[in-house]
Amino acid sequence: MAHFSFTAVCFDFDGTLADSYAAIAASVNHVRASYGLPAMSVAEVKQHVGRGPEYLFTHTVPGTDLEKDLACYRAHHPGVMRSLTELLPGAREAIMHLHSAGKKLGVCSNKPRVFTQELLSHLGIAAYFQTVLGPEDVPRLKPAPDMLLAAMARLGATPAQTLYIGDMVVDIETARAAQAAVWVVPTGSESTADLQDAKPDRMLGSLRELTILVE
């Protein structure tokens, strides 16, 4: 089996490192309830996650007042996100392996950074990451390359030295725009077929494969 060497490895969060969809759905439904709307299932909410808050609320809250609804969501989310979020299979092993191998690690997610940082801490892996970026930190959300380029700069890595790992076509587009390698896991909100059609550099069955593939 081929082995790959990268200086930096950056991850998406939701659907890549962690299953946080139940928590996101709970907070979306809290916003919907404020309009008298019935709850959506986790599966219904999941398909709209990963493209930023405007996309999420536009597709889950008819006639959304984005600023008001985002404030409502952010006030509710801390009360549910820790209990309803868990690491995906292989995530902890992969992170510990990469850290032991001397890789510089980062997170680039369209999720608000404060939530990502708190969840990394709660899940016991925050200490392994040198940088965590969210939509507050760059002019443009993914799939623009801004977030990944900023992470590379912080980690002291070039695009050729960087691997980005995500679960969505938007992650593939982000890495391509930043000229970095991109691998994906089919554990998020898009199908394996859609991911394959977007032509990532590699499809992983789970993050556990990183312990074998990256040296």
Side-chain angles (χ1 to χ4, degrees):
M1 181 178 290
H3 289 79
F4 302 86
S5 182
F6 299 96
T7 299
V9 181
C10 294
F11 292 85
D12 173 53
F13 186 79
D14 297 313
T16 301
L17 285 175
D19 182 346
S20 48
Y21 296 112
I24 293 169
S27 292
V28 165
N29 283 326
H30 177 72
V31 176
R32 285 176 58 85
S34 73
Y35 289 90
L37 296 169
M40 297 175 69
S41 70
V42 173
E44 288 172 322
V45 174
K46 180 178 180 178
Q47 62 186 314
H48 305 301
V49 174
R51 300 174 181 86
E54 183 173 358
Y55 186 97
L56 176 63
F57 289 117
T58 298
H59 288 79
T60 59
V61 183
T64 181
D65 178 332
L66 184 60
E67 186 175 345
K68 178 175 73 73
D69 293 344
L70 184 56
C72 180
Y73 179 100
R74 289 183 169 179
H76 179 267
H77 203 58
V80 297
M81 67 179 182
R82 288 177 295 277
S83 62
L84 295 178
T85 301
E86 59 185 10
L87 285 175
L88 283 161
R92 190 179 306 278
E93 299 97 308
I95 294 304
M96 293 178 68
H97 166 77
L98 294 170
H99 177 75
S100 296
K103 307 305 176 187
K104 299 175 180 179
L105 303 180
V107 174
C108 298
S109 172
N110 280 341
K111 190 184 195 75
R113 173 171 36 80
V114 64
F115 292 155
T116 302
Q117 289 174 319
E118 184 169 344
L119 286 168
L120 290 171
S121 179
H122 171 69
L123 296 166
I125 57 173
Y128 298 113
F129 292 92
Q130 284 84 5
T131 189
V132 177
L133 289 102
E136 311 94 326
D137 300 309
V138 290
R140 298 177 297 172
L141 303 181
K142 298 184 300 178
D146 304 30
M147 206 179 298
L148 187 53
L149 291 172
M152 291 181 203
R154 293 185 183 187
L155 297 173
T158 67
Q161 296 171 322
T162 301
L163 170 64
Y164 187 50
I165 300 173
D167 66 287
M168 296 181 65
V169 172
V170 70
D171 297 314
I172 298 170
E173 294 170 344
T174 298
R176 293 283 180 247
Q179 299 184 311
V182 58
W183 297 357
V184 293
V185 284
T187 48
S189 52
E190 288 185 316
S191 69
T192 299
D194 286 341
L195 292 173
Q196 289 173 331
D197 286 345
K199 300 188 179 347
D201 294 312
R202 193 174 192 94
M203 283 280 301
L204 302 173
S206 82
L207 293 181
R208 284 195 185 94
E209 294 179 35
L210 294 175
T211 64
I212 301 169
L213 292 170
V214 180
E215 59 181 14

